[in-house]
Amino acid sequence: MMNYDLIIVGGGAAGFFTAINVAENDPKLKIAILERGKEVLSKVRVSGGGRCNVTHAEFIPNELSKNYPRGEKELKGPFHTFMTGDTMEWFDRRGVTLKIEDDGRIFPVSNSSETIINCFLSETKRYGVEILKNHAVKNFYQEGEQWFVETSQGDFKTTMLMIATGSNPKIWKIVQDLGHQTVDAVPSLFTFNSKDPRIGNLPGVVTNASVRVKHSKLSSEGPLLITHWGMSGPAILKLSAWGAIELNACRYNFEIIVNWLQHYSQQEVLEELKALKNQYPKQQISKYTQFELPKRLWQSLISASEIRNDTRWADVSKIQLKTLSEQLTQGVFMIKGKSTFKEEFVTAGGIDLKEVNFKTFESKKCHNLYFAGEVLNIDAITGGFNFQNAWTGAFIAAKAITSG
Ligand SMILES: Cc1cc2nc3c(=O)[nH]c(=O)nc-3n(C[C@H](O)[C@H](O)[C@H](O)COP(=O)(O)OP(=O)(O)OC[C@H]3O[C@@H](n4cnc5c(N)ncnc54)[C@H](O)[C@@H]3O)c2cc1C
């Protein structure tokens, strides 16, 4: 039976980051990555539309942690040890320069995830980390100080074990047998489906909006993108992540209230509409957009207020003005179902965080058992935060593994 100092289950982002940091800290250790697939790092390859959104330009630990609907509290401490700036420096030291885009997302300057993959492969090669593909791990258990790992291609022995299997729930049963609790998986990043006629002809329209889920405390604001199927963009994706469990419970059938003018109240908007009526009595209401709204959206909301597009401001009734102010600030939309966001399916759920020591990412139940990445019940909104969780956990675990 092959014997190692450290076995890492899962050849993804967290697995490789652990391997490289452990090997750098202590090159004498014998390390293997066991990967069930034919290839390693396949999610890194497709991530960020093939560009790999490595992390996000938020440099204050407490602010960074606010992007994690699950994991916010637990990651605050770890981010003080390893976060965005450290990630950038880590890659920079290995010849991978990263750049910050206008929206804060950070990518390799090459605009290719292959750069990250090549970096990881050359680093593991340099340190002699064994990468065993087509090795699906079926079971692991501890006897004395030794871990035994059963795979589709034979059994292995190791002193330390890192579980970095991402969102594969198959591993959870094994971990439950070791005394860990797990939280069921639900999708966490998705767009909202809606057949509402007000947005039916507007795919591609983007505007800043605030959105609330009716009968819930869930709310968010930011760019809202109208799509062929409904709504997307940061305002919606944030709601999908923070509401992952609540929206799953109502089977993705719920109502949202959209304020297309973000911070204006209905009363303020009504006053403004009355002022416009006085100012431009002869002008057609639909001719010029108001409140800097995209013109097509403005025209659609006028129609939804039962105002004909050729109506002049002078002929708009008080009731119509009130309806328009409601459409602009309190539009109710029925959501029926969800869609995947750019193939980027992230799941909430995983190893319950209560039983993990976030100073080391070691199990509180079993000595020398570590977890990092999406296997934990941690997930984030889109923008590079999910990888940052993987880097942070892996880095801290590597430090703990080599300081014991
Ligand atoms: C299309 C897409 C795009 C994304 N883009 C981004 C992005 O740009 N930025 C961002 O921050 N996040 C992004 N994400 C999320 C991000 O990819 C994940 O959060 C991240 O990969 C998690 O890393 P991980 O190492 O925990 O898991 P993974 O990267 O999923 O790695 C887990 C590995 O474990 C292996 N494995 C599982 N079970 C076993 C087993 N029993 N035995 C052996 N091996 C096993 C799997 O095959 C896999 O290779 C994206 C996700 C998707 C799907």
Side-chain angles (χ1 to χ4, degrees):
M1 196 184 297
M2 292 289 278
N3 200 355
Y4 291 88
D5 296 307
L6 170 67
I7 282 183
I8 296 162
V9 185
F16 270 79
F17 213 72
T18 306
I20 297 163
N21 284 296
V22 169
E24 185 176 67
N25 295 350
D26 189 348
K28 292 189 300 300
L29 294 184
K30 192 166 151 59
I31 306 169
I33 296 176
L34 303 181
E35 166 56 47
R36 69 174 167 169
K38 284 200 291 285
E39 295 297 335
V40 290
L41 297 165
S42 40
K43 261 202 200 174
V44 171
R45 177 164 284 112
V46 296
S47 68
R51 295 200 296 144
C52 189
N53 178 191
V54 179
T55 183
H56 198 96
E58 172 54 73
F59 297 92
I60 303 164
N62 283 4
E63 291 302 314
L64 183 62
S65 67
K66 285 184 187 154
N67 295 288
Y68 297 81
R70 283 143 296 271
E72 176 178 0
K73 181 165 65 86
E74 291 77 6
L75 285 174
K76 269 185 198 156
F79 282 154
H80 280 90
T81 303
F82 192 89
M83 63 175 292
T84 318
D86 308 293
T87 304
M88 295 185 81
E89 202 258 342
W90 192 97
F91 281 104
D92 196 55
R93 256 195 301 134
R94 289 163 177 83
V96 178
T97 314
L98 303 176
K99 57 163 176 173
I100 303 176
E101 299 206 334
D102 289 347
D103 59 3
R105 291 182 303 159
I106 297 179
F107 293 90
V109 287
S110 65
N111 276 328
S112 169
S113 55
E114 291 303 323
T115 311
I116 304 295
I117 294 175
N118 291 341
C119 164
F120 284 172
L121 292 179
S122 70
E123 286 292 277
T124 43
K125 190 169 176 202
R126 180 156 77 96
Y127 288 118
V129 173
E130 286 180 47
I131 299 168
L132 304 172
K133 299 174 194 167
N134 298 309
H135 279 67
V137 169
K138 307 282 183 203
N139 194 19
F140 43 86
Y141 54 91
Q142 198 174 25
E143 276 181 13
E145 282 298 295
Q146 282 292 312
W147 282 98
F148 292 83
V149 182
E150 298 171 355
T151 82
S152 51
Q153 300 207 43
D155 299 348
F156 296 78
K157 243 179 10 174
T158 180
T159 314
M160 289 169 288
L161 185 61
M162 157 60 84
I163 306 300
T165 43
S167 52
N168 172 18
K170 280 191 192 153
I171 220 82
W172 298 0
K173 173 80 188 66
I174 311 169
V175 182
Q176 283 164 6
D177 290 344
L178 297 172
H180 272 275
Q181 290 182 46
T182 55
V183 178
D184 284 348
V186 292
S188 167
L189 269 184
F190 48 85
T191 62
F192 294 177
N193 293 356
S194 173
K195 292 212 164 80
D196 194 290
R198 283 168 291 180
I199 54 169
N201 289 323
L202 306 180
V205 164
V206 189
T207 190
N208 276 322
S210 55
V211 187
R212 277 188 297 130
V213 175
K214 219 171 164 181
H215 308 305
S216 151
K217 289 193 177 129
L218 290 169
S219 68
S220 75
E221 54 184 47
L224 188 157
L225 166 69
I226 298 172
T227 68
H228 285 286
W229 296 275
M231 298 182 191
S232 180
I236 298 299
L237 294 166
K238 272 189 255 175
L239 277 184
S240 81
W242 288 95
I245 291 162
E246 209 173 313
L247 301 180
N248 177 266
C250 64
R251 296 179 175 272
Y252 309 105
N253 278 318
F254 55 96
E255 286 178 316
I256 55 170
I257 302 165
V258 180
N259 184 342
W260 298 105
L261 304 178
Q262 213 167 1
H263 299 302
Y264 287 99
S265 71
Q266 189 235 327
Q267 199 51 41
E268 284 169 331
V269 171
L270 184 56
E271 294 307 320
E272 185 65 29
L273 291 174
K274 284 180 188 163
L276 286 164
K277 182 176 154 105
N278 287 332
Q279 219 174 336
Y280 306 110
K282 294 205 174 112
Q283 202 179 81
Q284 273 183 19
I285 184 166
S286 64
K287 190 156 184 196
Y288 299 104
T289 183
Q290 302 298 336
F291 307 102
E292 295 179 20
L293 271 188
K295 191 168 180 189
R296 289 195 292 149
L297 177 59
W298 168 246
Q299 290 173 338
S300 169
L301 297 179
I302 289 172
S303 303
S305 310
E306 315 229 326
I307 305 170
R308 280 181 34 193
N309 268 340
D310 58 359
T311 310
R312 295 176 317 151
W313 276 103
D315 302 326
V316 183
S317 72
K318 269 188 183 167
I319 294 194
Q320 285 173 322
L321 281 190
K322 183 161 180 284
T323 311
L324 180 57
S325 68
E326 286 165 358
Q327 286 291 347
L328 286 161
T329 58
Q330 306 170 0
V332 178
F333 292 79
M334 188 73 212
I335 305 300
K336 279 190 182 292
K338 59 174 176 51
S339 298
T340 307
F341 168 68
K342 290 189 190 165
E343 306 306 315
E344 183 174 336
F345 41 86
V346 169
T347 50
I351 311 279
D352 197 322
L353 306 184
K354 285 195 296 292
E355 291 146 0
V356 177
N357 175 355
F358 282 91
K359 290 199 169 74
T360 55
F361 284 73
E362 189 180 10
S363 156
K364 286 183 185 169
K365 297 277 171 185
C366 306
H367 185 43
N368 281 335
L369 175 66
Y370 295 83
F371 302 104
E374 224 180 289
V375 69
L376 291 163
N377 182 25
I378 294 179
D379 62 274
I381 60 168
T382 184
F385 304 103
N386 282 299
F387 277 140
Q388 186 56 58
N389 167 47
W391 315 139
T392 297
F395 182 87
I396 292 175
K399 217 165 123 186
I401 285 167
T402 47
S403 66

